[in-house]
């Protein structure tokens, strides 16, 4: 694998972890908005951790995680407008990024 731990696809839409594509945050977000949303996401993740054994609190915490990820552009409608499908969570080797990904292993 390349020296970069989580390489970005050439088009910047995804990063790769253990061969799987994960959608990146919307690069059009301004720094202040991005930081606020990341803070919201981290707070929601802590709430998930703290809600173990509390079904209602867990559901609310997971809703908050999802909401932050949608606002960041990591879930929900794609942030790009080139008509390409969302390949989030697909294995890179099974996508149009396969050749690019194979070159990383060299």
């Amino acid at each position: 694998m390349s020296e970069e731990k989580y390489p970005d696809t050439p088009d910047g839409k995804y990063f790769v972890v253990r061969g799987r594509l994960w959608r990146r945050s919307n690069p059009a977000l301004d720094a202040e908005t991005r930081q606020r949303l990341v803070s919201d996401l981290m707070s929601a993740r802590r709430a998930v951790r703290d809600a173990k054994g509390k079904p209602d609190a867990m559901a609310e915490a997971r809703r908050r995680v999802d909401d932050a990820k949608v606002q960041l552009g990591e879930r929900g409608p794609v942030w790009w407008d080139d008509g390409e499908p969302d390949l989030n969570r697909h294995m890179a080797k099974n996508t149009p990024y396969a050749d690019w990904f194979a070159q990383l292993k060299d």
Side-chain angles (χ1 to χ4, degrees), residues 1-2 97-106:
M1 192 62 83
S2 72
Y97 300 104
D99 291 341
W100 164 81
F101 184 65
Q103 292 177 5
L104 293 179
K105 297 179 181 183
D106 295 338

Side-chain angles (χ1 to χ4, degrees), residues 64-76:
R64 288 178 48 212
V65 167
D66 187 63
D67 184 55
K69 287 185 152 284
V70 168
Q71 289 184 57
L72 281 164
E74 296 174 10
R75 291 186 184 159

Side-chain angles (χ1 to χ4, degrees), residues 73-89:
E74 296 174 10
R75 291 186 184 159
V78 297
W79 46 261
W80 53 87
D81 59 7
D82 61 7
E84 291 296 318
D86 185 11
L87 301 172
N88 195 36
R89 297 185 174 180

Side-chain angles (χ1 to χ4, degrees), residues 1 11 17 19-20 27 32-33 37 42 49-50 56 68 71 82 84-85 87 89 91 106:
M1 192 62 83
D11 58 13
V17 179
R20 190 172 302 276
E32 183 178 320
T33 300
L37 292 171
M42 295 300 104
R49 178 198 64 205
D50 296 342
D56 291 341
Q71 289 184 57
D82 61 7
E84 291 296 318
L87 301 172
R89 297 185 174 180
M91 296 304 291
D106 295 338

